[in-house]
Amino acid sequence: MSQAQLNKLMDCVEIFREVYSEIPPQTCLMFMQVCQEEGCSIKELQERFEMSQASASRNARLLSERVHSGRNGLGLVELRVDEQDYRIKRAFLTERGKEIRDRLATLMH
């Protein structure tokens, strides 16, 4: 890896740290996957990153508006119930999520 590539990667990490200084790496990975595949289900993310259902749900909630009552999430992703199957939640970027995606894309080019 070249120094320039490493610097870009470090800059990307700093963007995530601006959003939340203690953001877990798996949450960053889930966000980047939603950027690539908006509308993917939490189950698909769980399988893609080989994490437990609980871990996938926890990370998805952190990316969303609300982690649980009394604690706000990061507001990068909106979780919507699937129209055909109410048990499935799908992840879509919010405006804030699109801004972060665009900043990351600018850095990588």
Side-chain angles (χ1 to χ4, degrees):
M1 180 179 289
S2 73
Q3 187 63 43
Q5 290 171 320
L6 187 57
N7 287 340
K8 283 183 180 184
L9 182 59
M10 290 170 56
D11 289 343
C12 288
V13 170
E14 283 304 316
I15 288 174
F16 281 113
R17 291 194 45 168
E18 288 173 16
V19 173
Y20 177 50
S21 64
E22 297 178 16
I23 192 166
Q26 64 270 23
T27 306
C28 298
L29 288 171
M30 284 182 72
F31 174 76
M32 290 185 280
Q33 186 64 35
V34 173
C35 289
Q36 288 186 324
E37 189 184 347
E38 262 196 279
C40 59
S41 71
I42 304 308
K43 178 73 170 172
E44 291 165 339
L45 292 168
Q46 171 193 344
E47 291 170 356
R48 167 76 170 86
F49 297 112
E50 299 178 348
M51 56 177 62
S52 68
Q53 180 181 1
S55 181
S57 294
R58 183 174 52 254
N59 283 284
R61 285 192 317 270
L62 178 59
L63 286 169
S64 72
E65 291 290 330
R66 189 166 243 34
V67 175
H68 53 74
S69 61
R71 182 167 177 224
N72 291 333
L74 303 176
L76 302 177
V77 167
E78 178 186 355
L79 300 176
R80 299 182 199 159
V81 174
D82 185 272
E83 293 177 7
Q84 278 83 40
D85 188 341
Y86 69 91
R87 297 170 296 178
I88 298 172
K89 287 189 180 174
R90 299 199 172 275
F92 296 87
L93 295 176
T94 62
E95 287 304 313
R96 183 171 187 219
K98 290 175 184 176
E99 290 171 11
I100 298 299
R101 176 202 59 198
D102 294 346
R103 287 181 63 196
L104 291 168
T106 299
L107 271 177
M108 297 311 292
H109 290 107

